[in-house]
């Protein structure tokens, strides 16, 4: 458990997260007091601020924590500021050089979120958080799924999805274990497989060390199997139809045939199977690589037991929707993506705080207010 200290009016106050483990009700600001995001704040300063001292009237780390409070309490910008007590303002480090409390206005917080950071900045923060979460977690099983972001029935811009029976957008979320590391936002009728390559690229950039990547039948294609295996060096665990059959082109004999046929450009039929698959992928026979990988899943008697672990997705998606505002009701069309990302990042930051403080029951925010 981490210990943190703060100097207020010349007095050093030291506190430990252990002091709050058994309390039934804790301010979210007290929880965020133990969240360390100095490196992320420095990145935001370097990337999204000009080199002017007057830009830094408020600590960037404090502003990031303040938008977590906004998302967690599901308040407007102005009401978020007015909801803070003096103690909470101190916990968020809104102090000037004379140790006087100095809070930003709701408009200042709005400007920080929408214009200082914007979609680009929030995406970068999400990537940095995903990387930190992966470093702190020992989980090796990744999974992806989409979840509806429900819109008002009167929203003229949102797509109506017949399966969910509502107007909606979609959030495509990759988790490692139960920890959310990356998200993309699309319209409600957008296909799931088309988003996967963005998630694969993000995991590569985060240097994710995963052993498997699970997805439901909506992602079942040969290309998806091959992309996951090739780019992430992970096993694709993707549900297949009940009437799925072994594909002949994915059998060892046909793999060897095509490797041998391309011997002039480096094909070696005596190489290990992994090398042969990489060779075929790199010369453009991606479908055939996917066929082989899918065949292996069909033949594996333990596949269904491994796939069942993907069920955590729906549970965590539901939990995110309870903790933050994870829908697009009463949101302007041009701001839907921004605020979906913002709430997702706020949830990531809460998860990071738990990881940093070694909280055993992860994703448990019910006692905070």
């Amino acid at each position: 458990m981490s210990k943190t200290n703060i100097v207020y009016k010349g007095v050093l106050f030291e506190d430990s997260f252990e002091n709050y483990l058994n309390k039934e009700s804790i301010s979210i600001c007290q929880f965020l007091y133990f969240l360390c995001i100095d490196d992320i704040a420095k990145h935001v300063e370097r990337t999204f601020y000009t080199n002017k001292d007057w830009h830094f009237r408020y600590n960037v780390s404090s502003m990031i924590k303040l938008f977590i409070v906004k998302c967690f309490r599901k308040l407007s910008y102005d009401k978020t500021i007015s909801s803070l007590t003096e103690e909470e303002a101190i916990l968020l480090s809104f102090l000037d050089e004379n140790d006087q409390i100095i809070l930003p206005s709701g408009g200042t917080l709005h400007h920080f979120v929408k214009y200082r950071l914007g979609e680009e900045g929030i995406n970068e923060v999400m990537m940095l958080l995903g990387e930190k979460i992966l470093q702190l977690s020992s989980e090796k099983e990744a999974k992806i799924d989409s979840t509806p972001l429900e819109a008002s029935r009167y929203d003229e811009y949102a797509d109506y999805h017949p399966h969910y029976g509502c107007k909606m957008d979609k959030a495509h979320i990759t988790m490692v274990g139960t920890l959310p590391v990356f998200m993309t936002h699309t319209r409600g009728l957008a296909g799931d497989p088309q988003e996967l390559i963005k998630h694969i690229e993000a995991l590569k950039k985060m240097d994710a060390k995963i052993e498997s990547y699970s997805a439901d039948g909506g992602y079942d294609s040969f290309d998806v199997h091959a992309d996951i295996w090739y780019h992430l060096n992970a096993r694709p665990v993707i549900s297949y139809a009940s009437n799925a059959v072994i594909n002949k082109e994915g059998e060892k004999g046909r793999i060897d045939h095509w490797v041998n046929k391309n011997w002039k450009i480096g094909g070696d039929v005596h190489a290990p199977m992994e090398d042969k698959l990489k060779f075929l992928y790199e010369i453009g026979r991606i479908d055939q690589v996917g066929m082989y990988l899918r065949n292996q899943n069909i033949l594996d008697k333990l596949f269904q037991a491994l796939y069942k672990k993907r069920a955590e997705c729906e549970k965590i998606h539901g939990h995110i929707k309870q903790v933050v505002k994870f829908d697009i009701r009463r949101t302007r069309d041009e701001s839907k993506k921004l605020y979906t990302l913002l709430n997702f990042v706020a949830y990531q930051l809460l998860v990071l705080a738990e990881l940093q403080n070694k909280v055993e029951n992860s994703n448990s925010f019910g006692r905070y207010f």
Side-chain angles (χ1 to χ4, degrees), residues 16 69 89 109 111 113 145 209 223 255 311 346:
S16 171
V69 176
L109 179 59
H111 184 275
V113 168
D145 199 9
K209 300 292 190 296
D223 282 4
I255 297 289

Side-chain angles (χ1 to χ4, degrees), residues 223-243:
D223 282 4
V224 166
H225 281 79
D227 288 341
I228 290 172
W229 176 83
Y230 182 81
H231 292 290
L232 297 176
N233 193 29
R235 177 182 177 179
V237 181
I238 302 173
S239 178
Y240 50 83
S242 57
N243 60 350

Side-chain angles (χ1 to χ4, degrees), residues 294-316:
R294 190 166 178 266
N295 284 353
Q296 299 308 301
N297 284 343
I298 294 172
L299 294 170
D300 186 357
K301 294 180 180 179
L302 299 176
F303 174 81
Q304 292 302 329
L306 185 60
Y307 176 72
K308 282 181 181 178
K309 295 180 181 180
R310 199 200 66 85
E312 294 172 327
C313 288
E314 285 80 6
K315 177 183 175 182
I316 300 302

